[in-house]
Amino acid sequence: MYRWVDENGKVHYSDEPKEGTNAEQVQLKPNSSIQLSPPPSAADTATTETPAQPVEYKIAIVSPENQATIRENNGNFSVQVEVEPKLDSSLKMALSLNGNTYSVPQRTNLFRLVNIDRGEHKLSVRIIDQNGKVLASSQETTVYLHRASMLGGG
């Protein structure tokens, strides 16, 4: 191996001396070579990833309690829901009142019902994805709404 410095002060190495320079022979130490291996291919680096397991959501109506009696003359009351784990940003919840979707699906866990008729009502909540697929449903909760009647004897 030969080494020389050019007129700009740059050091060069070669396996043959360059004419017109004061190249000096350099002795390499044994085992000072560098072994380079080619970069790994995409097939080598690809790991066999298992598909992501779907999240199992748990949803429950926490208020009002099942079989609760609600006394509210204007027919307004709230339904509070608990979800585990926290909903993914693409998911929403839909409230059903007596088997029919009550309002637009939402991300918040508090539903406000307005001017509901007196009597027995069945409530449930579903977690739905952006395509409307149901991922989880709550147990059905039955409530009894009492409203004062203007009709009365007397």
Side-chain angles (χ1 to χ4, degrees):
M1 176 73 79
Y2 294 89
R3 175 187 181 272
W4 73 93
V5 179
D6 66 17
E7 61 276 357
N8 296 322
K10 187 173 180 182
V11 178
H12 297 271
Y13 292 91
S14 176
D15 56 353
E16 295 180 9
K18 182 174 180 189
E19 288 186 38
T21 65
N22 57 351
E24 59 184 37
Q25 190 170 10
V26 178
Q27 295 296 321
L28 298 178
K29 296 177 186 174
N31 297 327
S32 63
S33 62
I34 299 172
Q35 296 290 328
L36 296 177
S37 54
S41 69
D44 294 338
T45 57
T47 57
T48 54
E49 293 182 17
T50 56
Q53 294 294 324
V55 176
E56 287 196 32
Y57 289 99
K58 293 179 184 175
I59 185 166
I61 295 174
V62 293
S63 176
E65 293 180 2
N66 192 36
Q67 301 295 314
T69 297
I70 301 169
R71 288 178 172 77
E72 188 60 52
N73 287 338
N74 60 13
N76 300 343
F77 65 97
S78 296
V79 174
Q80 185 171 356
V81 177
E82 201 170 78
V83 178
E84 288 183 17
K86 184 178 176 183
L87 286 184
D88 178 275
S89 63
S90 65
L91 304 178
K92 293 188 177 180
M93 294 177 283
L95 174 68
S96 290
L97 174 67
N98 301 323
N100 298 312
T101 300
Y102 178 75
S103 64
V104 176
Q106 63 185 43
R107 292 203 31 83
T108 59
N109 64 345
L110 186 66
F111 292 87
R112 185 86 177 124
L113 289 86
V114 178
N115 197 24
I116 304 302
D117 292 333
R118 66 182 177 176
E120 178 183 285
H121 297 286
K122 308 240 183 242
L123 305 167
S124 64
V125 182
R126 302 176 318 278
I127 297 173
I128 56 174
D129 67 12
Q130 61 272 21
N131 299 321
K133 179 181 176 187
V134 177
L135 304 178
S137 296
S138 71
Q139 293 288 324
E140 191 172 75
T141 296
T142 301
V143 296
Y144 304 95
L145 180 62
H146 290 236
R147 294 178 75 171
S149 173
M150 296 304 287
L151 302 175

